[in-house]
Amino acid sequence: MDSYRIKVVETLKKIFKDKSYSNIVISNDIRNIDLRHQALYRKSVLGVVEHLMFIDWIINQMSNTKTKKMETDVLVVLRLAVYQMFFLDNSYENMVVSESVQYIKDKGNIRASKFVNGVLRNILRQKKELLEKMEHLPREEYLSVKYSYPAELIKRWQLQFGKNKIEEVLSANNAEAPLEIRVNNMKISRDELLKIFNEKGIIAERCKYAHKGIRILNPIETDKTEEYKKGLFSIQSESSMLAGQILNPAEDSLVIDMCAAPGGKSLNASEIMNNTGKILSRDIYPGKLSLIEKEKQRLGLNNIKAEAYDATVTDETLIEKADFIIADVPCSGLGIIRRKPEIKYNRTEAEIKEILNIQLKILENAAKYLKRGGMMVYSTCTTNKEENLDIVMEFLKHNKGFALEDFSDKINDFPDAKKGYIEIYPHVHGMDGFFIAKIKRL
C-alpha cells in the first residue's frame, strides 16, 4: 500500500477508535505526508468520514460479518477502499483491492486478508447493482444512505429548508470546504498579497463578502510560506471573518471576546483596531489560550490579553465597561460539517436543546458588560434557527434596552443585514453555515 494510503488508514483509526476530531488529527498527521500527496490525503480522510453511512451500507450488502462486528484494521481498510471505488476518479480499482489486501497481510492476518479480498471483489463486480438497489430504498432511507446523514438531521433540515431543497442542502454540506485566509491589513493590503501569491504560482482570488479575505484555489502548506511566518495572513473561514467586519470595533476601545479560542475573531478585531485599545480574550479552556498567545506574537499584536474564564459566570468587575463585545457562543456546529464531517453523526436533539441555555446565558452576561451605545455581535457556526435568531429574539424580549442594529453598509447581498442579522448557508452562499447578529445597547 502506498505510504500516503497507510497514513490515511492510521489517521482514520484514530478518528474512529479514539473518537478524535478529524481536523485535529489531520493537522498533526499531515506533517508526515509528502507535499505531492497532502491534498489527496486530506480529501481521502475527510471523504471517508463524510460518506461513512454510504460506505458502511455498501460493505454490509456484501458481507455476512457486519461493520459493527469487524476488527478495526479490517473495517478501516474496507472503508477507505470503498470510498476510493465510489468517490475518487481514476482510483485504479484493482490496485485499490490489491493494496488493501496487502495491508492486512502485512499485519500478519492472512485469514482477514482473504475476507477483505472477497468483500472488495464482490463490491467491484456489483457496483452498478448496488447503486440501483440504493436508489430503490424508501425516500428517507435513500437520502440518509446516499448523503450519509442521520434521519433525525434530515428531518430537521426538511422542516427548515423544505423537501424540495433537501438534496441541495445535503450535497452542499458534503462539498469540499475551500482554504480561506485573512489578510493582516496592518502589514499588507489584500491586493499586494494577491500579487505576491500570483508571482509564486499560488492561485488565489478575493473572497466575495469578507473585505480582508482571500480564497486559495490550489493547495499550499500555508504555515511554511514566508508570508505566513512574517504574519501577513492567518487561516480563517470567510464566514468567521465577517463577525469582525460587521462589529467593526473602533480604535482605542475595549473589546471583550467571550469565547475566544482559538482566537481568530480576537486577532481580526486587533488588526481592525490597528493594535490599539485592549482586547480581553477569554475562554473556559486554559489549554487553548496558548494558541492565541502564539498567533498574536506571529502577527505582531500586543493589545490582546488572553485569560481563562467561564463565560456563563457573570464577572462583576466588567459591568458596563466594554465598547464592543464578541459573543461567538458554543453551538451544534451544523454549519461547518464540510470541515468537521463527524459533527453530523454526533449531534442529538437532546444535546442541541441543552446548549440553548448556555448560549442565552452567555449572551445575557455579554449584555451586562456593554456600555450604553456599545455594540456586540452574537454569532454561531450553525444553521439551526433555534440557536440563532430564536436566541436573539428571546434575549431582546426580556432586555428592552437593546436592539438589533442595521449593518447593511458592511456587507452586500444580504437583505436581512438591514434588520441586524444574517444567515449564511453553504447551499446558498458557498460559505460555512453561520449566523451573525449585531446588537446595540440603547
Side-chain angles (χ1 to χ4, degrees):
M1 184 178 274
D2 284 355
S3 59
Y4 100 86
R5 286 192 177 96
I6 292 173
K7 185 55 72 174
V8 170
V9 170
E10 296 305 316
T11 298
L12 287 170
K13 281 161 66 174
K14 294 174 190 174
I15 293 169
F16 294 133
K17 191 176 179 181
D18 303 336
K19 299 192 183 303
S20 303
Y21 287 113
S22 58
N23 63 314
I24 295 173
V25 182
I26 289 171
S27 293
N28 289 331
D29 288 358
I30 202 168
R31 297 168 187 167
N32 301 317
I33 304 291
D34 188 285
L35 180 59
R36 294 170 301 161
H37 299 309
Q38 285 187 2
L40 189 53
Y41 160 82
R42 183 187 295 274
K43 184 182 179 73
S44 298
V45 173
L46 290 176
V48 172
V49 181
E50 198 169 82
H51 298 287
L52 189 61
M53 293 172 72
F54 177 106
I55 291 166
D56 282 3
W57 185 87
I58 293 289
I59 294 169
N60 286 328
Q61 297 303 305
M62 293 289 106
S63 173
N64 291 326
T65 303
K66 302 309 174 189
T67 51
K68 289 183 178 179
K69 295 185 177 181
M70 289 181 185
E71 301 168 33
T72 301
D73 280 335
V74 170
L75 177 57
V76 174
V77 163
L78 285 174
R79 282 173 168 172
L80 176 58
V82 172
Y83 168 73
Q84 291 173 318
M85 289 176 182
F86 284 86
F87 294 99
L88 286 187
D89 295 331
N90 303 318
S91 63
Y92 305 104
E93 294 169 338
N94 287 317
M95 186 185 296
V96 167
V97 175
S98 299
E99 292 191 346
S100 301
V101 171
Q102 190 61 48
Y103 177 86
I104 300 299
K105 277 184 181 177
D106 291 344
K107 292 286 182 180
N109 197 336
I110 302 301
R111 177 191 57 79
S113 70
K114 292 178 180 178
F115 170 75
V116 168
N117 184 65
V119 171
L120 293 180
R121 295 291 176 194
N122 281 335
I123 290 172
L124 265 185
R125 281 192 290 268
Q126 298 188 51
K127 254 180 94 172
K128 183 179 178 183
E129 289 79 6
L130 285 166
L131 292 175
E132 288 175 353
K133 184 177 181 180
M134 188 185 294
E135 289 177 3
H136 286 90
L137 292 171
R139 175 70 175 167
E140 299 300 320
E141 187 180 353
Y142 165 75
L143 291 173
S144 184
V145 171
K146 181 180 179 183
Y147 295 102
S148 292
Y149 281 84
E152 193 176 59
L153 183 51
I154 291 175
K155 183 178 179 182
R156 169 181 281 276
W157 280 352
Q158 280 183 329
L159 290 171
Q160 182 172 346
F161 301 111
K163 287 188 175 183
N164 62 323
K165 287 280 186 182
I166 190 62
E167 288 203 68
E168 185 182 342
V169 172
L170 298 173
S171 180
N173 279 278
N174 275 353
E176 190 173 353
L179 172 59
E180 292 153 337
I181 63 171
R182 183 191 75 247
V183 178
N184 183 354
N185 55 283
M186 290 175 53
K187 294 190 172 187
I188 195 169
S189 72
R190 179 163 66 172
D191 286 344
E192 286 171 333
L193 186 55
L194 280 168
K195 184 180 179 184
I196 291 172
F197 283 164
N198 182 58
E199 290 169 352
K200 292 192 170 186
I202 299 170
I203 305 169
E205 64 184 16
R206 294 181 177 188
C207 284
K208 184 175 181 181
Y209 303 103
H211 301 159
K212 294 170 62 179
I214 289 176
R215 181 172 289 194
I216 308 293
L217 303 180
N218 60 333
I220 59 168
E221 290 183 284
T222 50
D223 60 342
K224 292 184 179 177
T225 64
E226 281 301 310
E227 292 73 30
Y228 180 83
K229 293 173 183 176
K230 291 176 181 177
L232 303 189
F233 69 87
S234 301
I235 300 169
Q236 188 176 23
S237 75
E238 182 172 11
S239 295
S240 182
M241 289 180 228
L242 290 174
Q245 182 172 310
I246 288 165
L247 183 62
N248 194 32
E251 293 187 12
D252 299 313
S253 55
L254 173 61
V255 177
I256 300 174
D257 190 344
M258 300 288 287
C259 311
K265 294 178 183 65
S266 287
L267 297 161
N268 189 18
S270 178
E271 292 167 2
I272 292 170
M273 294 161 62
N274 287 313
N275 201 24
T276 64
K278 181 180 179 182
I279 299 174
L280 189 56
S281 300
R282 291 180 154 185
D283 203 88
I284 193 171
Y285 299 109
K288 293 183 176 181
L289 298 177
S290 60
L291 296 170
I292 301 173
E293 293 291 345
K294 182 180 177 182
E295 280 297 281
K296 77 177 191 181
Q297 294 299 323
R298 184 181 65 83
L299 295 168
L301 305 171
N302 54 31
N303 65 341
I304 297 174
K305 181 183 179 183
E307 60 181 31
Y309 196 83
D310 182 352
T312 64
V313 178
T314 305
D315 185 345
E316 299 294 338
T317 67
L318 291 178
I319 303 297
E320 297 189 3
K321 294 286 177 66
D323 302 292
F324 298 91
I325 290 178
I326 302 165
D328 185 56
V329 299
C331 69
S332 60
L334 295 177
I336 55 171
I337 288 171
R338 301 187 305 172
R339 299 184 191 277
K340 300 178 182 178
E342 64 273 12
I343 285 173
K344 60 183 173 180
Y345 311 117
N346 300 337
R347 293 294 179 264
T348 65
E349 290 296 317
E351 287 174 326
I352 291 173
K353 283 181 169 48
E354 186 179 335
I355 210 167
L356 299 177
N357 294 326
I358 296 171
Q359 293 166 337
L360 185 57
K361 182 62 179 174
I362 292 173
L363 181 55
E364 287 172 341
N365 277 342
K368 293 173 186 176
Y369 304 152
L370 204 57
K371 292 178 180 177
R372 292 190 182 279
M375 297 283 186
M376 67 175 168
V377 288
Y378 171 87
S379 63
T380 73
C381 57
T382 186
T383 54
N384 178 21
K385 282 185 176 291
E386 292 167 74
E387 302 175 65
N388 296 338
L389 189 58
D390 288 359
I391 287 284
V392 170
M393 299 314 290
E394 177 70 13
F395 166 78
L396 293 175
K397 186 169 77 172
H398 299 288
N399 294 273
K400 301 302 181 184
F402 295 82
L404 287 165
E405 179 79 0
D406 177 1
F407 56 84
S408 55
D409 60 325
K410 299 290 185 293
I411 189 168
N412 297 322
D413 302 329
F414 283 88
D416 285 338
K418 276 192 166 296
K419 301 176 187 176
Y421 67 90
I422 58 172
E423 297 166 305
I424 304 171
Y425 299 117
H427 69 287
V428 177
H429 306 102
M431 292 190 286
D432 290 348
F434 235 78
F435 174 82
I436 304 170
K438 190 172 187 179
I439 301 170
K440 181 178 183 178
R441 184 173 181 194
L442 304 174

